Amino acid sequence: GENVEQHPSTLSVQEGDSAVIKCTYSDSASNYFPWYKQELGKRPQLIIDIRSNVGEKKDQRIAVTLNKTAKHFSLHITETQPEDSAVYFCAAKTAAGNKLTFGGGTRVLVKP
Amino acid sequence: GAVVSQHPSWVICKSGTSVKIECRSLDFQATTMFWYRQFPKQSLMLMATSNEGSKATYEQGVEKDKFLINHASLTLSTLTVTSAHPEDSSFYICSASRQVKETAFGSGTRLTVV
């Protein structure tokens, strides 16, 4: 089955700096890659996603890049703010299984 | 967008008892729902895929007799933790997808077994 690795597990940045989180996946059939932000005790919230036919997608301060050949994708957050502090998860989904496989998560702390 | 409701949001039960968690898709029909377990400071781990009208598909290492899943209608899946023990204490989350992109999560259930 699919295996998703995520790095780093923790990330501390100064407010205003950029944060980058990287994920790799194993199943070349995966075609959908969402990123979620989860606050303590809450459900994951979709912040951005990318399909396998696209290499990059941007939404204001958040961008995601995908390298299908290398089977890795990354989340970029620019101009970080304290409210960006949370746990971020990458995930991968295949069209056939329709189930999400999550990375291990990255705890992001933005220091004011 | 797709909305999934999950109840209860938290529950405390005694060891040896059973607990039922409900997951409902409010504005769409979900032939498939998913159940995840999340331990503190860890990722969401898929437990099982709930299929309407048929048996659930369990991930490797998940005891199907302990975690009973019923998906009797297109809008409701239930997870019953049977003979709960303290090590079953966790955050349980369900999800359903209306389309490939649109995965909606329930609000989660914090289970504490004492």
Side-chain angles (χ1 to χ4, degrees):
Chain A
E2 174 69 282
N3 182 49
V4 179
E5 300 282 342
Q6 182 172 345
H7 299 280
S9 56
T10 59
L11 180 59
S12 182
V13 297
Q14 207 65 41
E15 182 178 359
D17 288 350
S18 295
V20 180
I21 304 171
K22 299 182 179 182
C23 288
T24 60
Y25 61 99
S26 61
D27 190 346
S28 56
S30 290
N31 62 354
Y32 175 63
F33 307 93
W35 284 89
Y36 294 92
K37 177 182 181 181
Q38 187 182 31
E39 298 179 356
L40 190 62
K42 301 289 182 62
R43 76 187 85 193
Q45 297 283 348
L46 179 69
I47 56 172
I48 196 167
D49 56 14
I50 191 167
R51 299 290 299 267
S52 58
N53 58 349
V54 176
E56 185 174 356
K57 183 177 178 181
K58 188 174 182 180
D59 183 4
Q60 299 183 352
R61 298 187 296 110
I62 296 173
V64 57
T65 59
L66 171 66
N67 183 324
K68 282 175 52 181
T69 304
K71 292 203 284 254
H72 66 69
F73 55 114
S74 301
L75 177 72
H76 304 253
I77 306 174
T78 59
E79 300 172 27
T80 54
Q81 301 167 3
E83 50 266 38
D84 294 329
S85 297
V87 179
Y88 292 81
F89 293 98
C90 62
K93 180 192 279 194
T94 63
N98 203 31
K99 63 181 181 181
L100 284 170
T101 301
F102 286 85
T106 298
R107 188 170 300 275
V108 174
L109 175 64
V110 180
K111 296 178 289 186
Chain B
V3 179
V4 172
S5 172
Q6 185 173 343
H7 295 280
S9 56
W10 61 270
V11 58
I12 301 173
C13 71
K14 292 184 177 180
S15 288
T17 62
S18 296
V19 173
K20 179 185 285 188
I21 303 170
E22 293 189 347
C23 181
R24 294 180 186 273
S25 55
L26 298 184
D27 55 353
F28 67 104
Q29 293 181 332
T31 56
T32 303
M33 292 185 177
F34 302 93
W35 287 96
Y36 295 86
R37 179 168 53 184
Q38 186 177 31
F39 291 110
K41 297 186 178 182
Q42 293 189 23
S43 186
L44 287 81
M45 298 302 297
L46 180 66
M47 298 175 65
T49 302
S50 173
N51 304 300
E52 187 270 334
S54 65
K55 291 183 178 180
T57 304
Y58 291 83
E59 296 298 302
Q60 192 171 8
V62 178
E63 299 174 60
K64 61 180 182 180
D65 294 330
K66 181 169 184 61
F67 299 99
L68 301 179
I69 291 173
N70 184 278
H71 195 153
S73 78
L74 286 170
T75 60
L76 174 63
S77 174
T78 61
L79 168 67
T80 300
V81 182
T82 63
S83 187
H85 291 285
E87 56 265 32
D88 298 324
S89 298
S90 187
F91 192 54
Y92 293 86
I93 308 179
C94 66
S95 76
S97 296
R98 180 158 60 180
Q99 301 173 28
V100 172
K101 275 191 64 171
E102 198 172 11
T103 295
F105 287 91
S107 54
T109 298
R110 171 76 56 196
L111 170 64
T112 302
V113 184
V114 298

